């Protein structure tokens, strides 16, 4: 075993680039561990936790690059390190071969693109607010991908944005589609007359995907960042996004997507909705149906598919369907007979946080107990993400799992071991999985997971039982990944493939309740 860490002074790369690079290095056979990241405090702690920190690492600063590789042999290490060099060099070479060099600052970027009106910011959290403020002062709308921005900074930025008539999407905003151009994690969808404002990443993606599948199209999809509807922020960007879509000539239907807002924020949003002449669909996942408001031109729904279906219906297309497609219902009933009496629990291993939260919302009430790391109710909160039993839903994209590692939407390897582990539990009958396609996501999220599914099924078979996989692919036929191919791989393994995240959860209910 060989383990080395290289520190490169003042060599900066954004986190998305480095996470993608790390995932490619991990695919090299014999590489046990790799961390290619900026030397932030959190990443240095990660290296210390896995026993790879050095004195040089401890002295490194936020603008220094860390290349840490642990491999089974010298030749594997050398191969991996050369691969990292090649990827980083390739990136820089592309810059040199371009007609103009990539700008290093917002001012330099504006010198190259005088008419630019939008900035996507992905820098370490401690610098993010400063860069966002610079962009706003220059008259640019901002999508702030970075996290670790304080609530005080977020409010200050959003108040400045509101004052200047500019959007501030984020911090920690991972999904948007502006003028049909997907930003960060976003699906390729048809252009249309439905605009969305969403405080959830995969929630926004799911609504976009379902609208596309139902024949509709998207005018704008505005992300707000997950904290926008907290009391401290006051829903500033949800309100500004709503106003912007109400003025947008290409938007005829407006959809709002979020987990339940703070009560005072919900009141503000509903008051603003009263002033909107266009039809509005509101989807607050886990919202209180008893408090549904009677507002003209407003429809309240409580799952993401229904939000899309209602919006498409308001756009003039009729798309009624059963809760579960009949052929899937028949198949679920047949497979249910193959389970042993003791196989009474499910395990959900999610890449998408909002999809996990939606599944919890749907599954709750059909089972005596469910635990999850995304639960807000104390009695549902999973206390230990490593030791659990019964019905469990895990969002593997939460910080508990991803410190120093790629998000599972970029690199699904994180959940492969868990798939096999769950199959070893004699009480587990169903494993629920989601796969996200689109910009930013892994090129073959299903392809990289099939080996684990095969192994899990073998583990179950060797123990004299069957295990049922239920999956949902959040993607469209025009996403950069090959949707048909990814789906075909799951079909070959006998996986039940739902047409929406809510349908997947309802299939689990059909099998186990």
């Amino acid at each position: 075993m060989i383990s080395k860490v290289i520190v490169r002074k003042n060599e900066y790369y954004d986190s998305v680039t480095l996470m993608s690079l790390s995932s490619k290095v991990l695919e090299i056979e014999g590489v046990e561990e790799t961390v290619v990241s900026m030397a932030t405090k959190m990443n240095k702690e990660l290296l210390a936790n896995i026993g790879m920190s050095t004195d040089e690492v401890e002295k490194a600063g936020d603008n220094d690059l860390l290349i840490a590789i642990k491999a089974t042999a010298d030749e594997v290490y050398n191969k991996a390190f050369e691969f990292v060099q090649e990827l980083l060099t390739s990136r820089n070479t592309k810059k040199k071969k371009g007609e103009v060099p990539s700008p290093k600052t917002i001012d330099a970027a504006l010198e190259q693109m005088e008419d630019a009106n939008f900035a996507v910011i992905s820098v370490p959290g401690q610098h993010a607010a400063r860069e966002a403020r610079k962009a706003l002062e220059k008259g640019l709308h901002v999508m702030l991908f970075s996290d670790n921005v304080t609530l005080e900074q977020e409010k200050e930025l959003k108040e400045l944005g509101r004052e200047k008539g500019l959007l501030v999407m984020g911090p920690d905003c991972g999904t948007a589609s502006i003028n049909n151009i997907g930003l960060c994690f976003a699906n390729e969808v048809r252009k249309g007359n439905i605009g969305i404002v969403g405080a959830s990443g995969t929630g926004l993606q799911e609504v976009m995907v379902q609208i596309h599948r139902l024949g509709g199209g998207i005018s704008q999809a505005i992300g707000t960042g997950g904290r926008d509807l907290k009391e401290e922020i006051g829903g500033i960007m949800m309100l500004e996004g709503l106003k912007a879509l109400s003025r947008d000539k290409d938007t005829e239907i407006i959809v709002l997507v979020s987990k339940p807002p703070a009560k005072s924020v919900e009141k503000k949003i509903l008051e603003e909705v009263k002033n909107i002449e266009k039809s509005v669909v509101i989807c607050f996942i886990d919202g209180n149906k008893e408090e549904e408001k009677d507002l003209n031109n407003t429809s309240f729904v409580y799952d993401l598919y229904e939000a899309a279906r209602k919006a498409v219906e308001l756009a003039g297309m009729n798309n009624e369907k059963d809760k579960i497609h009949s052929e899937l219902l028949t198949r679920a009933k047949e497979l249910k007979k193959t389970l042993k009496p003791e196989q009474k629990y499910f395990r959900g291993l999610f890449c998408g946080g909002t999809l996990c939260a939606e599944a919890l919302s749907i599954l709750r009430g059909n089972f005596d107990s469910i635990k999850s790391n995304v639960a807000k109710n104390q009695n549902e909160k999973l206390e230990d993400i490593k030791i659990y039993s019964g019905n469990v839903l895990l969002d593997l994209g939460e910080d508990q799992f991803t410190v120093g590692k790629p998000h599972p939407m970029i690199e699904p390897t994180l959940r492969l071991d868990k798939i096999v582990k769950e199959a070893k539990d004699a009480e587990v009958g169903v494993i629920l999985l989601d796969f996200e396609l689109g910009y930013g996501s892994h090129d073959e999220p299903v392809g990289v997971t099939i080996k684990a599914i095969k192994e899990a099924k073998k583990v179950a078979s060797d123990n004299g039982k069957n295990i049922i996989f239920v999956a949902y692919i959040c993607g469209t036929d025009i996403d950069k990944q090959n949707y048909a191919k990814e789906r075909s791989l799951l079909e070959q393994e006998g996986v039940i493939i739902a047409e929406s995240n809510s349908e997947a959860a309802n299939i689990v209910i059909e099998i186990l309740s």
Side-chain angles (χ1 to χ4, degrees), residues 463-476:
N463 286 287
K465 64 175 187 172
N466 182 38
I467 192 157
I468 302 171
F469 279 90
V470 178
Y472 168 58
I473 304 173
C474 181
T476 72

Side-chain angles (χ1 to χ4, degrees), residues 244-450:
L245 292 181
S246 73
R247 297 189 297 266
D248 179 25
K249 63 180 176 55
D250 294 326
T251 299
E252 296 177 12
I253 313 296
I254 299 173
V255 181
L256 305 182
V257 180
S258 172
K259 294 163 190 170
K263 286 297 175 190
S264 63
V265 178
E266 180 182 14
K267 186 177 178 182
K268 288 183 199 173
I269 292 170
L270 295 179
E271 283 298 316
E272 186 59 41
V273 167
K274 287 180 183 175
N275 300 322
I276 305 293
E277 295 183 354
K278 298 176 181 179
S279 295
V280 179
V281 179
I282 296 180
C283 178
F284 292 150
I285 295 171
D286 265 346
N288 189 342
K289 297 178 183 179
E290 295 177 359
E291 295 183 4
E292 187 172 307
K293 308 297 186 299
D294 182 21
L295 298 175
N296 290 333
N297 301 325
T298 304
S299 304
F300 288 85
V301 297
Y302 299 94
D303 75 52
L304 300 165
Y305 173 80
E306 282 303 313
R309 193 196 62 75
K310 189 65 185 178
V312 170
E313 177 188 307
L314 291 168
M317 288 166 269
N318 186 13
N319 283 286
E320 292 293 338
K321 80 167 186 67
D322 295 330
K323 189 179 287 183
I324 307 178
H325 284 87
S326 57
E327 66 276 20
L328 291 183
L329 188 61
T330 301
R331 180 127 182 268
K333 288 179 177 176
E334 288 173 355
L335 286 172
K336 181 176 183 175
K337 299 173 186 173
T338 68
L339 296 180
K340 301 283 186 185
E342 64 272 21
Q343 288 182 275
K344 52 191 176 182
Y345 297 127
F346 61 80
R347 299 286 156 78
L349 304 176
F350 282 85
C351 298
T354 302
L355 299 190
C356 185
E358 183 185 50
L360 175 61
S361 173
I362 294 170
L363 292 165
R364 180 192 297 127
N366 291 279
F367 300 93
D368 291 338
S369 173
I370 303 176
K371 299 290 184 183
S372 175
N373 63 331
V374 301
K376 301 299 181 190
N377 299 335
Q378 197 55 40
N379 63 332
E380 293 178 337
K381 198 73 183 172
L382 186 65
E383 294 180 1
D384 189 328
I385 60 169
K386 295 180 180 176
I387 303 173
Y388 50 76
S389 60
N391 294 313
V392 176
L393 298 173
L394 294 177
D395 170 17
L396 300 175
E398 280 282 296
D399 291 347
Q400 302 150 309
F401 295 102
T402 60
V403 174
K405 296 181 180 179
H407 190 284
M409 283 172 60
I410 296 173
E411 175 45 71
T413 302
L414 176 63
R415 71 174 172 184
L416 303 187
D417 291 342
K418 286 196 172 295
I419 289 173
V420 178
K421 179 190 168 190
E422 305 303 353
K424 292 176 181 175
D425 188 328
E427 294 187 318
V428 171
V430 177
I431 295 178
L432 177 59
L433 302 173
D434 65 329
F435 297 92
E436 285 76 22
L437 308 187
Y439 301 115
S441 293
H442 193 279
D443 287 340
E444 295 183 80
V446 176
V448 77
T449 309
I450 285 298

Side-chain angles (χ1 to χ4, degrees), residues 153-170:
Q153 289 172 325
E154 178 174 348
K155 187 169 186 181
E156 181 186 331
L157 289 170
K158 288 184 170 176
E159 286 176 339
L160 180 58
R162 180 172 59 190
E163 178 185 322
K164 291 180 171 293
L166 299 169
L167 294 173
V168 180
M169 302 194 293

Side-chain angles (χ1 to χ4, degrees), residues 483-501:
Y483 175 85
K485 180 183 174 184
E486 293 288 283
R487 185 182 176 99
S488 169
L489 290 172
L490 291 174
E491 288 172 341
Q492 288 169 27
E493 293 306 316
V495 174
I496 297 179
I497 306 170
E499 298 301 325
S500 68
N501 188 58

Side-chain angles (χ1 to χ4, degrees), residues 41 109 169 204 210 308 318 343 508:
K41 181 181 177 184
M169 302 194 293
L204 204 53
Q210 293 299 337
N318 186 13
Q343 288 182 275
V508 173

